[in-house]
Amino acid sequence: MSDNRPILVVNGPNLNLLGTRQPEIYGSTTLADIENLCRGTAADLGRKVECFQSNHEGAIIDRIHAARGTVAGLVMNAGAYTHTSVAIRDAVLAAELPLIEVHLSNVHAREPFRHVSYLADIAVAVISGLGPDGYVAAIRHLVARET
Ligand code: DQA
């Protein structure tokens, strides 16, 4: 059944620096560009997104808790916390939200510590290496799977 609640888009640590941060890896798109892309993608589907970015693990956890029951799903690029945070994993499980894990870069083509994800096995899907298009695909898929 279709759901008209918003989709929550969470970006984790250092993603506020997109555009200037290692552009050879992450490209020149800024976080504001990505959030606008997400808003536009959702609007085309008659939906809304709520965008949140934090460099702090606890703030991300609090935002996920607040989303329980109020959003239709979660698109999250948890940045480096992907590879370290049992606490964010537990928050997603507690919030009972369908998650799509997104990475701008192909983490599997990078250092071995980036091949570990505490989120992948509890996610609907993992999108890694599509750049900003990954967020678009994630939002489209979360909406499509409702019907
Ligand atoms: C990232 C990949 C992570 O390994 C890294 O720590 C990031 C960004 C990505 O979008 O490619 O901060 O999640």
Side-chain angles (χ1 to χ4, degrees):
M1 205 182 77
S2 178
D3 185 329
N4 57 14
R5 291 174 297 175
I7 288 165
L8 177 62
V9 178
V10 170
N11 282 287
N14 301 307
L15 293 165
N16 55 313
L17 300 181
L18 285 176
T20 55
R21 174 194 182 197
Q22 296 181 282
E24 69 285 1
I25 294 176
Y26 298 115
S28 57
T29 309
T30 66
L31 180 62
D33 294 334
I34 287 175
E35 291 183 346
N36 283 332
L37 183 65
C38 291
R39 285 188 194 97
T41 302
D44 289 345
L45 299 165
R47 300 290 286 271
K48 286 194 162 36
V49 288
E50 293 176 1
C51 296
F52 179 79
Q53 188 276 330
S54 179
N55 296 321
H56 304 278
E57 189 174 22
I60 294 169
I61 292 166
D62 287 344
R63 185 64 189 87
I64 293 169
H65 290 176
R68 189 174 204 270
T70 71
V71 306
L74 174 61
V75 173
M76 180 158 65
N77 182 349
Y81 286 143
T82 307
H83 318 302
T84 64
S85 182
V86 176
I88 291 177
R89 172 195 177 88
D90 285 351
V92 173
L93 289 171
E96 297 184 296
L97 296 173
L99 164 71
I100 300 195
E101 175 185 334
V102 172
H103 301 284
L104 292 156
S105 65
N106 177 0
V107 289
H108 296 287
R110 300 182 63 193
E111 303 95 321
F113 62 82
R114 295 186 205 276
H115 303 176
V116 175
S117 170
Y118 282 89
L119 301 171
D121 67 301
I122 60 163
V124 174
V126 180
I127 302 172
S128 185
L130 294 188
D133 288 348
Y135 293 81
V136 173
I139 291 167
R140 287 195 179 138
H141 185 76
L142 280 179
V143 172
R145 73 191 285 280
E146 288 167 7
T147 50

